[in-house]
Amino acid sequence: MKDKKRDYIKLLFPPIWLTVVLTVISAVSLIAVFVKGWEETPIAYVIYVLSFYTLIVVSIACATVFPGYYKKIKNKIYSNQFGNRYMTDPVFKTHINLYRSLFFNLLYAALNLFFGIYFSTAWFTLFAAYYTIMAVMRFLLLRYVHKEGIGKNYLKELKRSELCAYILMTVNISLSGAVLMMVYFDRGFEYYGFLIYVVAMYTFYITTAAIVGMFKYRKYKSPVMSMTKIINLASALMSMLALETAMFSQFGGETSPQVRRLMIILTGAGISIIVLTISIYTIRRSRNILKRSKNNGEL
């Protein structure tokens, strides 16, 4: 009896190489099932069982093995001079993140512009405009950081933050265009098979991280650092809208077009209101502080 229990336990702890093989097979099989339309076939149910077993094995492995690897990786990062500075110096971290996000924004803008011209469609052109706006704001912040640094001149940071807030308001133009194309031209995003779950996890992660970052970085009293987090939030919310269209495409087969359009409109309007509210609040707050400083002879 004990030997049988041990055998059952061993099934939950296969070797690492077998876990990797099972993960790859399950992912490829699920993609094939959804792409080929085999959802109701006998082979699909076998794949579902295998995928469920693989999910349990991977979850157990993450719960038991990941903490140890996490500690080792964390120790290696902190033992490295660059890694330690990145993790402990918020100014340096903001600087690096601005470089990284600017690079990807320019890359996405170029790719969407290319696809927009190649396929002669306004869909990709709208997203090229969106990523260009994001890149402009991040470039302005990065240029300021290079010249003035962070935390050295609060009033100058306010002016740069106010400028970026004005630019951020124009995001609603590309957002509105995207929503209109989603509603009236049935445009959207599609992620086949297991990929949609990965995209969903990443989208929820960056959205949560952006919201936490907005509150976390307030304690440094740096308008530039706060604006970088506001831009991250606007970007994450746009990703949330894209995920919604992908979820409808993947799982919304029984949802009526009217309900789908209404949900997209409400989500787009909610994102637009959030972005507009944050922008107006940032502008008004910056103006009030700058006006008081001018009256006090600080400018």
Side-chain angles (χ1 to χ4, degrees):
M1 194 69 178
K2 290 184 178 179
D3 291 337
K4 287 185 178 180
K5 287 184 177 179
R6 288 176 182 174
D7 291 338
Y8 290 139
I9 293 174
K10 286 181 180 179
L11 285 173
L12 299 176
F13 297 93
I16 295 296
W17 66 267
L18 183 56
T19 303
V20 174
V21 171
L22 286 172
T23 303
V24 173
I25 292 175
S26 297
V28 173
S29 300
L30 283 172
I31 292 173
V33 166
F34 292 119
V35 171
K36 298 293 184 179
W38 297 341
E39 290 90 341
E40 302 298 330
T41 60
I43 191 173
Y45 292 104
V46 175
I47 293 171
Y48 294 153
V49 173
L50 177 64
S51 301
F52 181 69
Y53 167 69
T54 303
L55 179 62
I56 293 174
V57 168
V58 171
S59 299
I60 293 174
C62 289
T64 56
V65 178
F66 181 74
Y69 280 108
Y70 173 76
K71 288 182 180 179
K72 289 181 181 179
I73 294 171
K74 187 177 179 180
N75 290 333
K76 285 185 178 181
I77 292 174
Y78 278 95
S79 63
N80 178 273
Q81 184 178 0
F82 177 84
N84 186 281
R85 187 181 178 189
Y86 181 81
M87 297 300 291
T88 58
D89 187 347
V91 174
F92 179 70
K93 187 175 184 178
T94 300
H95 205 155
I96 296 299
N97 287 342
L98 278 171
Y99 269 116
R100 174 182 54 80
S101 54
L102 176 60
F103 170 77
F104 282 110
N105 278 163
L106 290 173
L107 178 63
Y108 294 153
L111 286 174
N112 279 280
L113 181 61
F114 170 77
F115 288 134
I117 296 173
Y118 185 80
F119 294 107
S120 300
T121 174
W123 174 248
F124 290 110
T125 307
L126 282 170
F127 282 93
Y130 163 77
Y131 286 117
T132 300
I133 294 170
M134 292 292 178
V136 168
M137 288 187 291
R138 283 173 168 141
F139 172 76
L140 290 173
L141 292 175
L142 190 58
R143 186 180 180 188
Y144 175 86
V145 171
H146 269 304
K147 286 186 174 182
E148 306 290 341
I150 296 177
K152 296 181 179 180
N153 193 318
Y154 183 75
L155 297 180
K156 282 188 177 181
E157 285 194 31
L158 274 177
K159 290 180 180 179
R160 186 51 55 99
S161 176
E162 181 182 351
L163 174 61
C164 289
Y166 276 114
I167 298 173
L168 183 61
M169 294 174 71
T170 63
V171 168
N172 285 322
I173 299 174
S174 57
L175 173 62
S176 300
V179 170
L180 288 173
M181 293 198 72
M182 290 173 186
V183 171
Y184 294 105
F185 298 97
D186 200 26
R187 287 286 189 173
F189 294 84
E190 291 186 9
Y191 304 104
Y192 292 107
F194 193 75
L195 183 60
I196 192 169
Y197 299 103
V198 177
V199 173
M201 290 174 61
Y202 175 73
T203 302
F204 285 117
Y205 165 74
I206 61 174
T207 304
T208 303
I211 294 172
V212 172
M214 282 183 62
F215 292 98
K216 181 180 178 181
Y217 277 73
R218 286 182 64 186
K219 64 181 180 181
Y220 297 111
K221 299 186 184 303
S222 169
V224 166
M225 293 174 73
S226 296
M227 180 51 65
T228 61
K229 301 305 173 184
I230 291 173
I231 296 172
N232 289 345
L233 177 62
S235 180
L237 291 175
M238 192 69 167
S239 299
M240 193 68 76
L241 178 63
L243 176 63
E244 182 183 35
T245 63
M247 296 290 281
F248 276 130
S249 177
Q250 186 82 358
F251 307 110
E254 298 180 358
T255 306
S256 66
Q258 292 80 7
V259 173
R260 187 180 304 187
R261 289 171 183 170
L262 178 62
M263 292 298 294
I264 292 174
I265 290 172
L266 291 176
T267 302
I271 294 172
S272 180
I273 291 170
I274 291 172
V275 172
L276 195 62
T277 301
I278 293 175
S279 300
I280 293 173
Y281 171 79
T282 302
I283 292 169
R284 290 195 63 180
R285 182 174 177 272
S286 299
R287 282 188 172 183
N288 290 336
I289 295 175
L290 290 170
K291 186 177 180 180
R292 287 199 301 268
S293 300
K294 186 176 182 180
N295 293 334
N296 295 332
E298 297 177 20
L299 284 176

